[in-house]
Amino acid sequence: MDYKRILTVQDISCVGQCSLTVALPILSAAGHETCILPSAVLSTHTAGFSGYTVRDLTEDLPAIAAHWQKEGIRFQAIYTGYLGSTEQIEDVKEIFRTCGAEGCVSIVDPAMADNGKLYPAFDQAYVDRMKTLAFQADIILPNITEACLLTGYPYRERYDEAYVNGLLDALRAAGARTVILTGVSYSDATTGVVVMEGESRRYYAHKRYEKGCHGTGDVYASAFVGALLRGKTAYDAACIAADYTLRCIEITRSDPDHWYGVKFEQVLPEYIEALR
């Protein structure tokens, strides 16, 4: 197995299993050297906690990237999650350009919306800037809402396979190369992921739980990236990540006190075994 150096750029919540606090251990468990670039530091994540602290690190990003360039540090893959501003998006585009090794794989999770709505911190200007990052990446991992925002495609809560194919056509026309479209549900009992690579489109369905858990999108994206860089195909990596995320939810559901994330750590041995 190649020992790859990955950079992941996203915020870090000191408490709350999301963003960098899941990306770092999951990617490391996959066997990769995992380097981080925090876009912000929060005392906790923002879902369910009150009075949390936030320190924006936008001003630090260019200096950190400049130091890496000076030291000749390069990455075989760069994976982005939640970015807090249009300025950070521009910083990441520059990092893609200057800090990627030859053949660097760029993966963008355009974490900005869900359930038909943008996150409160974002507006149309942010969406427009995210398009310039997402459509230059090798792989993007949008949910239905994010894919609609990236393309202008009409959002629907209920849809069929023809609707999803139209959305994928719109993503491809906009410049997307490989798309991992998450949260695709054709029934109340199941949900899943569609993987589009060129003309190929494959759907993987799995059990759906009515109540979701915070941070599972970050768990999924990190598990996908870890598997992909172990040599799995995009489809196989998507399936491994889906199975792992589902197991994380399953072992957490019985603990009402653990409402702020999933116990992803306890399932890491199963994830490592799936990668073999």
Side-chain angles (χ1 to χ4, degrees):
M1 180 188 74
D2 290 337
Y3 185 54
K4 293 185 173 65
R5 175 186 284 164
I6 302 172
L7 171 66
T8 180
V9 188
Q10 47 192 307
D11 64 286
I12 184 164
S13 296
C14 299
V15 173
Q17 292 152 309
C18 63
S19 57
L20 283 180
T21 56
V22 301
L24 177 56
I26 290 173
L27 290 168
S28 298
H32 308 300
E33 178 187 355
T34 307
C35 306
I36 64 170
L37 182 55
S39 57
V41 179
L42 295 83
S43 55
T44 67
H45 63 62
T46 60
F49 294 104
S50 60
Y52 48 83
T53 67
V54 182
R55 181 172 294 275
D56 182 88
L57 299 179
T58 302
E59 292 184 0
D60 297 280
L61 303 189
I64 292 170
H67 182 228
W68 288 341
Q69 293 177 57
K70 176 178 175 292
E71 295 295 322
I73 295 170
R74 297 291 182 269
F75 305 98
Q76 280 76 52
I78 302 175
Y79 148 49
T80 71
Y82 184 96
L83 301 172
S85 66
T86 56
E87 187 175 351
Q88 288 187 355
I89 292 173
E90 290 303 311
D91 290 334
V92 167
K93 288 165 63 177
E94 182 68 9
I95 288 168
F96 278 179
R97 189 181 70 82
T98 61
C99 295
E102 184 176 354
C104 177
V105 180
S106 54
I107 304 127
V108 171
D109 178 1
M112 60 182 177
D114 204 0
N115 299 315
K117 296 180 181 180
L118 274 171
Y119 295 152
F122 300 142
D123 56 15
Q124 186 59 45
Y126 183 91
V127 175
D128 291 340
R129 198 66 61 88
M130 178 57 73
K131 292 177 185 179
T132 67
L133 177 67
F135 294 129
Q136 78 172 51
D138 295 310
I139 301 171
I140 58 172
L141 295 95
N143 58 34
I144 295 283
T145 303
E146 290 158 348
C148 289
L149 288 167
L150 289 171
T151 59
Y153 204 74
Y155 173 78
R156 294 181 189 170
E157 291 188 6
R158 295 281 182 175
Y159 47 80
D160 55 16
E161 188 173 351
Y163 170 86
V164 170
N165 279 328
L167 180 54
L168 291 168
D169 288 341
L171 286 166
R172 189 176 178 193
R177 304 172 196 176
T178 297
V179 177
I180 315 300
L181 185 63
T182 62
V184 179
S185 180
Y186 298 126
S187 75
D188 292 336
T190 62
T191 187
V193 55
V194 178
V195 178
M196 180 182 76
E197 296 180 278
E199 296 292 337
S200 171
R201 298 175 185 186
R202 301 176 69 183
Y203 180 56
Y204 182 67
H206 57 78
K207 186 175 181 178
R208 177 183 184 182
Y209 289 108
E210 185 174 347
K211 184 179 179 182
C213 297
H214 186 77
T216 50
D218 299 332
V219 169
Y220 179 86
S222 300
F224 169 82
V225 173
L228 181 80
L229 297 176
R230 280 284 296 266
K232 303 297 182 183
T233 65
Y235 179 77
D236 287 344
C239 296
I240 289 170
D243 292 341
Y244 172 64
T245 306
L246 187 66
R247 285 286 294 130
C248 293
I249 295 170
E250 288 172 346
I251 68 161
T252 308
R253 293 176 72 243
S254 61
D255 185 353
D257 293 328
H258 202 96
W259 53 267
Y260 49 86
V262 289
K263 300 177 180 179
F264 74 95
E265 303 93 340
Q266 296 184 357
V267 197
L268 280 173
E270 296 179 31
Y271 174 62
I272 294 168
E273 184 60 31
L275 295 178
R276 296 186 179 131

